[in-house]
Amino acid sequence: MTQIKAAVCHAHGAPLQIETVNLRAPDMGEVEVTLKACAICHSDIHFADGAWGGKLPAIFGHEAAGHVSAVGAGIRGVAVGDPVVVTLIRACGTCPTCGSGRPVLCAAPPQHDGPLTTLDGGPIVQAMDSGAFAERVVVDQSQVVKLPADMDLAAAALLACGVITGVGAVVNAAGLRAGQDVVVIGAGGVGLNAIQGARIAGARRIVAVDMTEDKLAIARDFGATDGVLATDEKPWRAAKKALGKGADVVIVTVGAIPAYDTAPQYLAMGGRLIMVGMPHSGATSSYEPVMIAATGQGMIGSKMGDVVIARDIPWLVDLYRQDRLKLDELISRTWSLDQINDAIADTRTGAAKRNVILFD
Ligand SMILES: [Zn+2]
Ligand SMILES: [Zn+2]
């Protein structure tokens, strides 16, 4: 048992409290990672606000990187001292969905007793199987990917969620072919990565749709060829004008219902709508089934970019080292764990790309 400092959520919507908690040693199949960095994702904020339910107290945080500091029995592929990315993707590797290459949909993720307790022995939920707003985590070995020794760990932390979700939505979920046209709705932490995923995959044109000119300017830095303000009355008209037709692929990266309601309007005949942004539970959207049927379009949900972390994270690390994938530019600011509530408040404004907590 180790004592670590963590940001604990005791009440939905209330500030996180920095306190000392117990972390048990890694069991069979688990690794302990001493974190260097953890990015703040909008999903952490939705969970902390209670948007998707869940028990408390809990420790959120799921986009992390650090060094393996202890291993349980039966660990292969990583050793103490290795730098790793820590993801929330826990997969058995042997169920039918894992076996068919979709570990994000694993039917039987390995179960472990929760590693976190309060100092007096009470339960603490390890949210998203990670609990990475903390100095250390104990996670299943399937959740980590080894990094090159000289990889910057603040940049690497982003690979755990936002980057793979955005790039993967384009490359894995949409199966974009070189020369196709893409519209990305929302140019935030996931949207900017969908944009650079489209650039990497060889899109002809990439139209970013967002609420402000500032966001569209950032989108262009990441590879958007055109920008459209979502505040226009019928923004799909400007997108279609830029493309000369509808889009082969539309990626919705925000959880706003109006974005979902209007997204099919951007599609070309036969186009695919990739649904990535996650509205609150219970929120519904509507569309005209006749249009989807008559135009041969598709609506596809994509969780975590349909990523296979052992394949995709090393690929993305290599692209970063070739200057073909932007990671440093995604970080708007770094903060200490003690500043996490300020960092969350900054993330809520929507202006930040990614805020990253750095541990000493
Ligand atoms: Zn995330
Ligand atoms: Zn599985």
Side-chain angles (χ1 to χ4, degrees), residues 279-292:
H280 289 195
S281 297
T284 58
S285 187
S286 62
Y287 57 93
E288 286 184 77
V290 63
M291 295 304 295
I292 309 283

Side-chain angles (χ1 to χ4, degrees), residues 60-84:
F60 301 106
H62 62 279
E63 297 196 22
H67 291 90
V68 175
S69 44
V71 297
I75 299 300
R76 291 187 300 168
V78 292
V80 171
D82 284 344
V84 292

Side-chain angles (χ1 to χ4, degrees), residues 40-44 62-63 88 128 160-162 165 190 304 354:
I40 296 170
C41 178
H42 285 279
S43 296
D44 295 311
H62 62 279
E63 297 196 22
L88 59 76
M128 291 165 275
C161 177
T165 299
V190 174
M304 301 297 295
R354 269 295 192 262

Side-chain angles (χ1 to χ4, degrees), residues 201-223:
R204 185 187 68 118
R205 279 185 181 259
I206 306 163
V207 179
V209 181
D210 208 312
M211 306 295 280
T212 68
E213 289 289 358
D214 287 354
K215 300 284 283 282
L216 296 180
I218 296 169
R220 285 191 181 85
D221 293 340
F222 280 77

Side-chain angles (χ1 to χ4, degrees), residues 194-317:
I195 289 165
Q196 53 180 349
R199 171 171 50 74
I200 289 163
R204 185 187 68 118
R205 279 185 181 259
I206 306 163
V207 179
V209 181
D210 208 312
M211 306 295 280
T212 68
E213 289 289 358
D214 287 354
K215 300 284 283 282
L216 296 180
I218 296 169
R220 285 191 181 85
D221 293 340
F222 280 77
T225 59
D226 300 270
V228 170
L229 283 171
T231 50
D232 288 356
E233 194 189 341
K234 292 182 176 175
W236 50 90
R237 287 185 176 169
K240 286 181 167 173
K241 193 171 170 201
L243 297 176
K245 63 177 186 55
D248 300 296
V249 170
V250 174
I251 315 273
V252 182
T253 69
V254 294
I257 291 300
Y260 271 109
D261 283 341
T262 55
Q265 304 285 348
Y266 294 84
L267 284 173
M269 301 280 276
R272 280 108 60 215
L273 175 65
I274 309 298
M275 307 161 84
V276 181
M278 295 176 74
H280 289 195
S281 297
T284 58
S285 187
S286 62
Y287 57 93
E288 286 184 77
V290 63
M291 295 304 295
I292 309 283
T295 57
Q297 293 168 341
M299 301 171 80
I300 302 164
S302 176
K303 181 182 181 187
M304 301 297 295
D306 292 55
V307 70
V308 178
I309 58 173
R311 175 193 67 194
D312 294 339
I313 287 181
W315 166 59
L316 293 168
V317 166

Side-chain angles (χ1 to χ4, degrees), residues 8 19 78 84-85 95 113 120 130 147 158 192 232 236 241 277 285 304 317:
V8 184
E19 52 195 72
V78 292
V84 292
V85 172
C95 73
D113 292 338
D120 52 16
S130 302
L147 292 164
L158 306 183
L192 292 175
D232 288 356
W236 50 90
K241 193 171 170 201
S285 187
M304 301 297 295
V317 166

